[in-house]
Amino acid sequence: EGTPLITAYDDAGTGNNSPAMARLRSLRQARRLLYVSHLFSQFSEMSWQFCLVLFLAAFANYESYLLVSTYGVASGLAVCLFGSKAGRFIDGTNRLVVAQRFIWTENAAVLVATLLCYVLLVKQKLRNDGDSDSPSSNHIIEASSTASMDSPRIVQIIMSRLEGIPLDTVSVLLLVGIHVLGATAQILDRGFVVAIERDWIVVMSRLASSSIPPSINNDEEDNSKEVEKAWLSETNVTMKQIDLSCKTICPAIAGFFIAAFDDGTDQNHGSDLTGAALLVGALNGAALFVEYSCTAKIYHLIPELAIKPQSSQSRLDKLADSDDSNTTITSSSRCYS
């Protein structure tokens, strides 16, 4: 759990009740809470992203993957267009406020999106069961019946790509909501991960380096740099291991639960994804409370996180304001002179 220098400091005759040792214990506890929060965050996120691909394909009765493509494009464009705004918000806002808003908004967006997926999956199941009276069954585009031979080639291609996709008003609104909420959750997840890895962990590593007295090593500057580098490296490696583990395990666990909800009555085994949608929503709801509580505890364990360094943008704004005020004063003095 600790770096070699920190372990050496534990064995040194400095006493377990010293302020530096108390700070190290707080840092270790905060790092464990950070791992737990990151585990729940990535596990719920990977489960949602994996199952969402299956949901989008199921909406079109597995006849078209256009919805999968449109979601990928929408989420990618959203990150490119609004990622910088999220970064500026992170730089200029209190760390705990950023964490709370991002956690609540991201998980709430995924939770609502899973409910929308559940509604669409139920409609899809009714359509597949042969409910001819269902309104959605009258609005499914079938390329073979709608794209006539005398239609332009481009129209035939578009119709063929829309084959199987429900186009009634309710279904279209639900699909739009899923795209918007999914893209929003993607932006917030990326922003929060960057804030943790590039800000919170950096602050914790600097505190770890400042907690080691120079008596262990004659060169205080080299000692601090070594501890900071070791702490930062160990933490980032563990976080990356959590990411890779979730990416590997989540699809397997999701496939297991999808098969578990299959009652065996459908010839397309595993095609009933309604239970999986509810499970993903419940998982994100649990992750919300775990992430929120862990982040709040970390913030209170490390008082230095409350000190937010001045962002470069705010410094530029203040510099511009000061230049404007100096210009105004100079102009006024010239007028009076």
Side-chain angles (χ1 to χ4, degrees):
E1 176 66 25
T3 63
L5 285 174
I6 294 177
T7 304
Y9 180 47
D10 291 342
D11 298 334
T14 55
N16 292 329
N17 295 324
S18 63
M21 280 302 304
R23 178 182 294 181
L24 286 177
R25 285 193 293 267
S26 298
L27 285 170
R28 290 172 178 168
Q29 183 180 356
R31 185 159 67 172
R32 287 192 292 267
L33 291 171
L34 181 65
Y35 293 156
V36 173
S37 174
H38 191 63
L39 175 63
F40 273 82
S41 173
Q42 292 305 301
F43 190 86
S44 60
E45 176 66 17
M46 296 302 170
S47 300
W48 159 247
Q49 293 296 335
F50 176 78
C51 290
L52 180 60
V53 175
L54 301 179
F55 298 158
L56 293 173
F59 296 155
N61 201 23
Y62 303 101
E63 297 177 10
S64 173
Y65 293 101
L66 180 63
L67 295 177
V68 180
S69 302
T70 55
Y71 175 78
V73 172
S75 59
L77 286 176
V79 172
C80 292
L81 295 176
F82 302 103
S84 60
K85 294 183 178 180
R88 286 194 294 269
F89 176 77
I90 293 173
D91 290 339
T93 312
N94 178 271
R95 290 186 176 97
L96 184 60
V97 174
V98 170
Q100 290 176 340
R101 292 185 181 180
F102 274 45
I103 290 172
W104 275 100
T105 309
E106 176 195 352
N107 288 278
V110 174
L111 185 59
V112 175
T114 55
L115 295 177
L116 300 183
C117 290
Y118 175 80
V119 175
L120 269 175
L121 289 170
V122 171
K123 290 167 63 67
Q124 176 69 19
K125 186 177 180 181
L126 293 175
R127 189 183 73 186
N128 290 340
D129 289 341
D131 188 0
S132 59
D133 296 331
S134 177
S136 62
S137 62
N138 298 324
H139 295 82
I140 304 299
I141 291 187
E142 298 293 344
S144 59
S145 60
T146 57
S148 59
M149 296 302 295
D150 54 351
S151 299
R153 180 62 178 172
I154 186 64
V155 175
Q156 297 182 25
I157 294 176
I158 294 175
M159 290 301 193
S160 64
R161 296 298 184 269
L162 295 176
E163 183 176 357
I165 299 178
L167 294 179
D168 60 285
T169 304
V170 175
S171 297
V172 170
L173 291 177
L174 292 175
L175 288 172
V176 172
I178 292 171
H179 281 64
V180 172
L181 293 173
T184 302
Q186 189 84 345
I187 297 171
L188 297 175
D189 178 71
R190 297 282 183 87
F192 185 63
V193 169
V194 170
I196 292 295
E197 293 181 350
R198 304 296 175 87
D199 188 15
W200 290 52
I201 295 178
V202 174
V203 173
M204 294 168 65
S205 64
R206 290 174 181 171
L207 288 176
S209 65
S210 63
S211 301
I212 306 300
S215 59
I216 297 179
N217 194 319
N218 293 329
D219 194 338
E220 180 179 359
E221 183 177 356
D222 292 343
N223 181 24
S224 298
K225 290 182 178 179
E226 185 177 351
V227 172
E228 181 178 351
K229 183 179 179 180
W231 183 281
L232 188 62
S233 176
E234 288 180 2
T235 307
N236 285 331
V237 167
T238 304
M239 298 280 282
K240 185 60 65 176
Q241 289 174 343
I242 294 174
D243 290 340
L244 297 176
S245 300
C246 291
K247 289 180 180 179
T248 304
I249 297 174
C250 284
I253 296 179
F256 172 78
F257 279 104
I258 289 173
F261 284 111
D262 184 18
D263 56 5
T265 59
D266 195 340
Q267 61 179 356
N268 298 322
H269 295 290
S271 60
D272 187 4
L273 302 174
T274 54
L278 295 178
L279 182 63
V280 172
L283 180 62
N284 276 271
L288 188 155
F289 292 103
V290 173
E291 292 179 59
Y292 186 89
S293 59
C294 289
T295 305
K297 290 180 181 179
I298 293 171
Y299 185 84
H300 293 300
L301 283 171
I302 312 297
E304 287 77 4
L305 289 174
I307 304 173
K308 188 78 171 180
Q310 190 179 25
S311 63
S312 59
Q313 183 63 37
S314 61
R315 288 196 296 269
L316 291 174
D317 294 339
K318 288 185 177 180
L319 181 61
D321 293 340
S322 63
D323 291 341
D324 293 339
S325 61
N326 292 334
T327 303
T328 303
I329 294 174
T330 304
S331 302
S332 301
S333 61
R334 289 177 179 176
C335 291
Y336 284 108
S337 62

